[in-house]
Amino acid sequence: MRSGKTGLCSGDYRRKFRYYAQVDYLTALSAFVQTAEAGSFVAAGRQLGLTASAVGKAVARLEEQLQVRLFHRNTRNMALTEEGRMFLERCQRILAEMEAAHAELAQTHVAPRGRLRISLPLVAMLLTPVLADFMAAYPEVQLDLDFSDRLVDVIEEGFDVVVRTGQPSDSRLMSRNVGRFRSRIVAAPDYLKAHGTPGTPADLARHHCLRQRSPTTGKLRPWPLASEGKSLPETMSATAVDPLIYLAVAGRGIACLPPFAVRQEIADGRLVSLLESHIREVEQFSVLWPASRQVTPKLRAFVEFMASHLKPENQGL
């Protein structure tokens, strides 16, 4: 019994020691950063609510633990050593991250509110029912929507968040995949009756193909077929999805479109889905926001809402 009790107390002591050691180390880091920024122990002490002696001892303990000198000291002034300069940059980032984490946690209980500026691709105009549901769920958030297929600079142009298709590539941005979808190749029954139904991707060379063109690059967007090759014709092209849907329903040709864009047309028989076994790619919606900015309640609410409402089972994707 005695040895067990002693072991328990010893374990408790070790845990408490590690806790207080971590707290003391963070205090020393704060003392070091404040001293470096203020230029003296006295000025740092005023900022931290400590005596100059306490700040000096904290920095000295830190130097002893690191086994390096962080400051050159004399009776008149003090300056960072080369090691101190390198260490300062790291410490500032650590403390800034901790401050941001505290602020983020403090806001978890704050109701989402305020203006949320969002950039979305033109195809996302077809997701307006989801956006309407978000507005109903969060009436104190004012959406400022910018629909464009151009590659916006999220940070420079002041967007809070962007929704994009495809793989994100900007390292300055945090991202979350909020939905996946497989494009559909569709045509109207009247068109197929008049021109025949393609059985393989190669058959498309003999058909009228309604193509989408990137408004940013001017290039035709490829269809996600396993063997499209270079034979896919261009009967007409448009930078927006809506005219392609209209012309496909009117029997003017075959189009490749997002599933949510033609879900109703397929359901009521105005369009027929083709070559499904030959479609090889799955595309995704991603939500992106600046990594340097704090995740506000309104941003967190939007990301979580989109992730839950753009699931394939919810959208027929």
Side-chain angles (χ1 to χ4, degrees):
M1 289 291 291
R2 184 175 181 179
S3 60
K5 184 177 180 180
T6 303
L8 178 62
C9 290
S10 176
D12 285 347
Y13 174 77
R14 284 195 296 270
R15 283 191 293 273
K16 289 180 180 179
F17 178 81
R18 284 195 295 268
Y19 170 76
Y20 286 117
Q22 291 167 355
V23 172
D24 187 59
Y25 189 71
L26 291 174
T27 301
L29 290 183
S30 298
F32 163 66
V33 170
Q34 198 64 54
T35 300
E37 293 177 347
S40 72
F41 293 144
V42 174
R46 289 198 205 99
Q47 295 292 328
L48 296 171
L50 300 171
T51 65
S53 174
V55 174
K57 288 178 181 178
V59 171
R61 285 195 301 271
L62 185 60
E63 289 178 322
E64 184 178 353
Q65 289 175 324
L66 297 172
Q67 296 186 341
V68 297
R69 183 172 290 279
L70 299 172
F71 291 101
H72 294 300
R73 304 178 182 84
N74 57 41
T75 56
R76 293 185 177 179
N77 55 36
M78 58 194 309
L80 285 166
T81 63
E82 185 61 31
E83 294 82 1
R85 278 193 292 272
M86 290 190 298
F87 192 55
L88 175 63
E89 184 178 341
R90 297 276 184 152
C91 290
Q92 286 172 325
R93 286 205 296 268
I94 291 170
L95 295 176
E97 284 294 323
M98 289 181 62
E99 184 178 347
H102 279 290
E104 190 171 318
L105 286 173
Q107 291 197 55
T108 55
H109 302 296
V110 177
R113 61 169 56 89
R115 184 175 297 277
L116 191 66
R117 190 161 184 245
I118 309 169
S119 173
L120 306 98
L122 291 173
V123 69
M125 292 180 71
L126 299 158
L127 298 180
T128 48
V130 177
L131 298 173
D133 290 342
F134 176 84
M135 293 172 65
Y138 298 98
E140 294 188 61
V141 178
Q142 294 85 46
L143 297 183
D144 181 353
L145 306 177
D146 180 84
F147 288 94
S148 172
D149 279 336
R150 70 184 181 86
L151 192 62
V152 301
D153 189 314
V154 183
I155 297 173
E156 291 298 323
E157 296 184 48
F159 287 102
D160 296 301
V161 60
V162 298
V163 178
R164 285 291 175 263
T165 56
Q167 292 290 337
S169 59
D170 193 332
S171 61
R172 301 174 302 166
L173 305 178
M174 300 292 290
S175 67
R176 179 170 174 182
N177 179 4
V178 295
R180 296 167 65 81
F181 63 93
R182 188 185 297 274
S183 293
R184 298 284 180 87
I185 295 175
V186 295
D190 287 347
Y191 173 87
L192 298 175
K193 184 178 179 179
H195 299 277
T197 301
T200 68
D203 294 341
L204 292 171
R206 300 188 297 273
H207 282 271
H208 303 304
C209 293
L210 311 175
R211 306 289 301 275
Q212 186 176 9
R213 186 179 296 276
S214 168
T216 303
T217 65
K219 295 181 179 179
L220 290 173
R221 289 180 171 167
W223 288 9
L225 294 165
S227 57
E228 177 191 322
K230 298 181 179 179
S231 59
L232 195 62
E234 177 194 354
T235 301
M236 66 81 63
S237 64
T239 57
V241 171
D242 287 344
L244 299 179
I245 298 173
Y246 178 86
L247 292 170
V249 170
R252 306 314 303 168
I254 299 175
C256 181
L257 298 163
F260 45 83
V262 291
R263 182 170 60 247
Q264 189 59 51
E265 287 79 1
I266 292 174
D268 61 23
R270 286 180 291 158
L271 290 175
V272 176
S273 185
L274 308 170
L275 301 172
E276 291 189 2
S277 63
H278 295 276
I279 298 174
R280 58 179 170 80
E281 292 181 0
V282 174
E283 298 184 67
Q284 70 179 44
F285 275 115
S286 294
V287 175
L288 303 96
W289 62 93
S292 59
R293 293 183 193 165
Q294 181 179 315
V295 179
T296 59
K298 60 185 178 182
L299 174 56
R300 182 183 294 105
F302 181 78
V303 173
E304 295 297 334
F305 192 90
M306 296 298 283
S308 63
H309 285 71
L310 289 184
K311 289 179 180 178
E313 60 267 28
N314 291 341
Q315 290 297 318
L317 306 184

